[in-house]
Amino acid sequence: MDRFFSISMPAAQFVRNVLLFSFAALLPVLLFYVLLAPGFAPALAAGGPALMRFLRQVATNGLPVVFAVNYVSFFLFAMTKQPKAGSRDTAFFVLVDVLLRALLFPGLHALIYVLSADWFGSFGGNRSTALAVVSPTLARSAFFENISGVYLYATMISALPLYVSALGRSEFLGPIVRRLPMNTGVMLLALAAFALSVGLITIGAQGRISSGQVMAG
């Protein structure tokens, strides 16, 4: 991964690599989702408006969200490889990434949903409706119950390299990592960090739903 993501490489090359990795991560998860959803694959195979809406959703919502989240993580990954990454423990970069994911993923969904309402007439062309469906959608994405779950898990391609690299070099977490054989400790901590980001997104979405219900009551 070091040769694909480096602070010293040209910006255009870095962006291109993030885009290619994002597309490569999105495609298999998307295919898996289509095959799992009852009646979805035949509907898309028939073409027509259903296929066009699906492709537009992926192009205008899925790929931009996955790209943006992956860009941040790959940039942080490149930062951890710098000799002078700072005096902080490398585990700090994991914490930053987890928090940024919890903010970026729902924030970008909200922005894109509003723009979709304006540009494509989605959600009845109503911005309020578009914003109202963000939280219910994200609350179920962790369980792979909608297409936002595809986008969420497609971002693992950037999370795991960053987390494994940063946690493996962390002095603070070193004693925990060394208690488990080989790289098992690092991988378990990396998966736990990604699960934390997913949990924060889900809890945040559930919290907004609850707040909305209280205000409506």
Side-chain angles (χ1 to χ4, degrees):
M1 299 294 292
D2 295 359
R3 67 190 182 96
F4 293 112
F5 302 104
S6 171
I7 298 297
S8 60
M9 69 171 44
Q13 185 179 353
F14 192 96
V15 169
R16 183 202 64 186
N17 289 347
V18 174
L19 184 61
L20 290 175
F21 271 77
S22 298
F23 185 77
L26 182 59
L27 204 57
V29 187
L30 191 62
L31 179 61
F32 185 63
Y33 174 78
V34 169
L35 294 176
L36 280 183
F40 200 17
L44 294 180
L51 177 61
M52 295 307 298
R53 284 194 298 270
F54 173 74
L55 294 176
R56 186 184 71 195
Q57 216 282 341
V58 173
T60 61
N61 183 189
L63 191 56
V65 168
V66 173
F67 170 82
V69 174
N70 283 343
Y71 184 93
V72 170
S73 295
F74 280 131
F75 181 81
L76 290 173
F77 170 81
M79 287 289 293
T80 65
K81 298 297 183 178
Q82 291 294 102
K84 297 181 180 180
S87 58
R88 296 185 182 91
D89 190 270
T90 51
F92 172 77
F93 290 98
V94 176
L95 178 61
V96 170
D97 184 81
V98 168
L99 294 178
L100 286 179
R101 281 171 182 267
L103 295 173
L104 269 178
F105 196 76
L108 289 171
H109 268 79
L111 174 62
I112 291 171
Y113 279 20
V114 168
L115 293 178
S116 294
D118 288 343
W119 296 347
F120 308 119
S122 303
F123 313 104
N126 190 306
R127 292 183 176 184
S128 297
T129 302
L131 288 174
V133 303
V134 172
S135 292
T137 299
L138 297 184
R140 308 309 300 173
S141 62
F143 306 101
F144 211 63
E145 294 183 3
N146 52 50
I147 199 167
S148 289
V150 173
Y151 309 149
L152 181 59
Y153 290 106
T155 63
M156 283 185 70
I157 195 172
S158 61
L160 294 184
L162 167 63
Y163 297 169
V164 169
S165 172
L167 294 173
R169 298 167 57 200
S170 170
E171 295 181 8
F172 178 72
L173 295 174
I176 299 175
V177 171
R178 286 191 291 271
R179 288 182 181 179
L180 296 171
M182 298 178 65
N183 294 323
T184 305
V186 175
M187 184 56 67
L188 287 176
L189 284 176
L191 290 173
F194 181 76
L196 176 61
S197 69
V198 172
L200 289 175
I201 292 170
T202 304
I203 293 169
Q206 291 284 10
R208 285 188 288 272
I209 293 173
S210 299
S211 298
Q213 290 174 343
V214 171
M215 292 178 64

